[in-house]
């Protein structure tokens, strides 16, 4: 019998994640976040507001990506660096949706 409070986490292999160096774990995490944003932007309806703004310019550029669904009262805010934002904007489906406030400069 298992002791109370010990639960198996389904869908994740933590042993493999722990073997990777912190840089590789961070890269995988950023890739998953960008893919999630890309899927949500591509699936969004016409009433969805998308805003991308630069919030810091130095020492590292940081951008704020906001996805708002007013019907559901939902706002997703994600902070990305320049490289992750450029990776997000490489998808054709995302570029077609980015027609609202885009302040990169």
């Amino acid at each position: 019998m298992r002791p109370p409070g010990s639960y198996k986490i389904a869908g994740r292999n933590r042993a493999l994640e722990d073997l990777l160096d912190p840089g590789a774990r961070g890269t995988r995490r950023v890739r998953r976040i960008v893919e999630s944003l890309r899927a949500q932007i591509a699936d969004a309806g016409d009433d969805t507001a998308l805003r991308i703004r630069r919030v810091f310019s130095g020492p590292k550029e940081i951008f704020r990506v906001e996805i708002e669904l007013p019907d559901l009262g939902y706002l997703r805010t994600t902070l990305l660096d320049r490289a992750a934002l450029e990776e997000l904007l490489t998808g054709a489906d995302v570029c077609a949706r980015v027609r609202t406030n885009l302040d990169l400069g």
Side-chain angles (χ1 to χ4, degrees):
M1 181 171 176
R2 289 187 181 176
S6 63
Y7 301 101
K8 184 176 182 180
I9 298 176
R12 287 189 66 177
N13 189 351
R14 288 203 180 265
L16 177 63
E17 289 266 332
D18 290 340
L19 294 176
L20 297 174
D21 66 298
R25 282 196 310 250
T27 303
R28 287 180 60 183
R29 182 171 185 264
V30 168
R31 189 177 328 124
R32 286 193 308 263
I33 290 170
V34 168
E35 289 300 319
S36 172
L37 281 170
R38 185 176 290 141
Q40 189 170 13
I41 291 170
D43 293 341
D46 292 334
D47 61 338
T48 303
L50 173 68
R51 288 181 293 279
I52 301 173
R53 291 183 265 171
R54 184 172 65 179
V55 292
F56 292 113
S57 58
K60 186 174 185 177
E61 279 189 308
I62 302 294
F63 296 89
R64 179 179 174 146
V65 179
E66 295 177 351
I67 302 171
E68 183 178 7
L69 297 170
D71 295 347
L72 301 176
Y74 173 81
L75 176 67
R76 177 180 181 176
T77 303
T78 307
L79 299 175
L80 300 174
D81 64 350
R82 170 68 79 170
L85 179 67
E86 288 176 355
E87 183 180 337
L88 174 68
L89 296 176
T90 57
D93 50 350
V94 174
C95 284
R97 303 285 300 172
V98 177
R99 58 179 177 247
T100 58
N101 298 340
L102 179 63
D103 181 20
L104 301 179

Short mmCIF file of all heavy atoms in Angstrom, two decimals, residues 1 10 16-17 31 42 47 56 58 61 65 67 70 73 88 101:
data_model
loop_
_atom_site.label_atom_id
_atom_site.label_comp_id
_atom_site.label_asym_id
_atom_site.label_seq_id
_atom_site.Cartn_x
_atom_site.Cartn_y
_atom_site.Cartn_z
N MET A 1 0.83 -1.18 0.00
CA MET A 1 0.00 0.00 0.00
C MET A 1 0.88 1.25 0.00
O MET A 1 1.88 1.32 0.70
CB MET A 1 -0.89 -0.03 1.24
CG MET A 1 -1.80 1.13 1.33
SD MET A 1 -2.97 0.83 2.68
CE MET A 1 -3.82 2.33 2.64
N ALA A 10 0.90 11.25 -14.29
CA ALA A 10 0.75 10.61 -15.59
C ALA A 10 1.24 11.54 -16.71
O ALA A 10 1.11 12.75 -16.63
CB ALA A 10 -0.70 10.25 -15.82
N LEU A 16 13.67 11.21 -17.06
CA LEU A 16 14.34 11.69 -18.26
C LEU A 16 14.62 13.18 -18.19
O LEU A 16 15.70 13.64 -18.53
CB LEU A 16 13.51 11.37 -19.50
CG LEU A 16 14.08 11.87 -20.83
CD1 LEU A 16 15.42 11.20 -21.12
CD2 LEU A 16 13.12 11.64 -21.96
N GLU A 17 13.64 13.95 -17.71
CA GLU A 17 13.82 15.40 -17.57
C GLU A 17 14.95 15.72 -16.62
O GLU A 17 15.70 16.66 -16.83
CB GLU A 17 12.52 16.05 -17.08
CG GLU A 17 11.41 16.07 -18.08
CD GLU A 17 11.39 17.36 -18.86
OE1 GLU A 17 11.82 18.39 -18.32
OE2 GLU A 17 10.95 17.32 -20.01
N ARG A 31 10.05 25.71 -26.13
CA ARG A 31 9.45 25.13 -27.34
C ARG A 31 8.00 24.73 -27.10
O ARG A 31 7.12 24.97 -27.93
CB ARG A 31 10.27 23.93 -27.81
CG ARG A 31 9.84 23.44 -29.18
CD ARG A 31 10.66 22.28 -29.72
NE ARG A 31 12.04 22.30 -29.31
CZ ARG A 31 12.66 21.29 -28.67
NH1 ARG A 31 12.01 20.19 -28.38
NH2 ARG A 31 13.92 21.37 -28.34
N ALA A 42 -3.83 30.03 -33.69
CA ALA A 42 -4.39 29.48 -34.94
C ALA A 42 -5.85 29.08 -34.77
O ALA A 42 -6.65 29.23 -35.70
CB ALA A 42 -3.56 28.29 -35.39
N ASP A 47 -13.28 37.11 -32.71
CA ASP A 47 -13.48 37.99 -31.57
C ASP A 47 -12.29 38.00 -30.61
O ASP A 47 -12.27 38.74 -29.64
CB ASP A 47 -14.74 37.61 -30.80
CG ASP A 47 -14.67 36.19 -30.26
OD1 ASP A 47 -13.89 35.40 -30.79
OD2 ASP A 47 -15.41 35.90 -29.30
N PHE A 56 10.48 45.30 -22.04
CA PHE A 56 11.85 45.64 -21.66
C PHE A 56 12.72 45.64 -22.90
O PHE A 56 12.58 44.80 -23.77
CB PHE A 56 12.44 44.62 -20.67
CG PHE A 56 11.79 44.63 -19.33
CD1 PHE A 56 11.05 43.55 -18.91
CD2 PHE A 56 11.92 45.71 -18.48
CE1 PHE A 56 10.45 43.53 -17.67
CE2 PHE A 56 11.32 45.72 -17.24
CZ PHE A 56 10.57 44.62 -16.83
N GLY A 58 16.29 46.31 -22.42
CA GLY A 58 17.63 45.93 -22.00
C GLY A 58 17.61 45.46 -20.58
O GLY A 58 16.72 45.82 -19.83
N GLU A 61 15.74 41.90 -24.44
CA GLU A 61 14.41 42.28 -24.89
C GLU A 61 13.38 41.26 -24.43
O GLU A 61 13.54 40.06 -24.66
CB GLU A 61 14.36 42.39 -26.41
CG GLU A 61 14.90 43.68 -26.94
CD GLU A 61 14.64 43.81 -28.42
OE1 GLU A 61 14.98 42.87 -29.16
OE2 GLU A 61 14.09 44.84 -28.82
N VAL A 65 2.94 38.84 -24.71
CA VAL A 65 1.94 38.35 -25.66
C VAL A 65 0.66 38.14 -24.88
O VAL A 65 0.62 37.36 -23.92
CB VAL A 65 2.40 37.03 -26.32
CG1 VAL A 65 1.35 36.51 -27.27
CG2 VAL A 65 3.73 37.21 -27.03
N ILE A 67 -3.44 37.14 -25.20
CA ILE A 67 -4.53 36.58 -25.98
C ILE A 67 -5.78 36.73 -25.12
O ILE A 67 -5.83 36.18 -24.02
CB ILE A 67 -4.29 35.10 -26.33
CG1 ILE A 67 -2.99 34.95 -27.11
CG2 ILE A 67 -5.46 34.53 -27.11
CD1 ILE A 67 -2.57 33.52 -27.32
N PRO A 70 -12.95 37.60 -24.89
CA PRO A 70 -13.92 38.30 -24.05
C PRO A 70 -15.18 37.49 -23.75
O PRO A 70 -15.77 37.65 -22.68
CB PRO A 70 -14.26 39.56 -24.85
CG PRO A 70 -13.74 39.35 -26.21
CD PRO A 70 -12.73 38.26 -26.16
N GLY A 73 -14.21 35.49 -20.79
CA GLY A 73 -13.55 36.20 -19.70
C GLY A 73 -12.15 35.67 -19.46
O GLY A 73 -11.69 35.55 -18.33
N LEU A 88 7.78 32.12 -32.76
CA LEU A 88 6.31 32.10 -32.77
C LEU A 88 5.78 32.71 -34.06
O LEU A 88 4.82 32.19 -34.64
CB LEU A 88 5.77 32.87 -31.56
CG LEU A 88 4.26 33.07 -31.49
CD1 LEU A 88 3.56 31.74 -31.26
CD2 LEU A 88 3.91 34.05 -30.39
N ASN A 101 -2.35 45.18 -32.51
CA ASN A 101 -1.22 45.96 -32.01
C ASN A 101 0.04 45.12 -31.92
O ASN A 101 0.11 44.19 -31.14
CB ASN A 101 -1.54 46.52 -30.62
CG ASN A 101 -2.70 47.45 -30.65
OD1 ASN A 101 -3.05 47.97 -31.70
ND2 ASN A 101 -3.31 47.66 -29.51
#
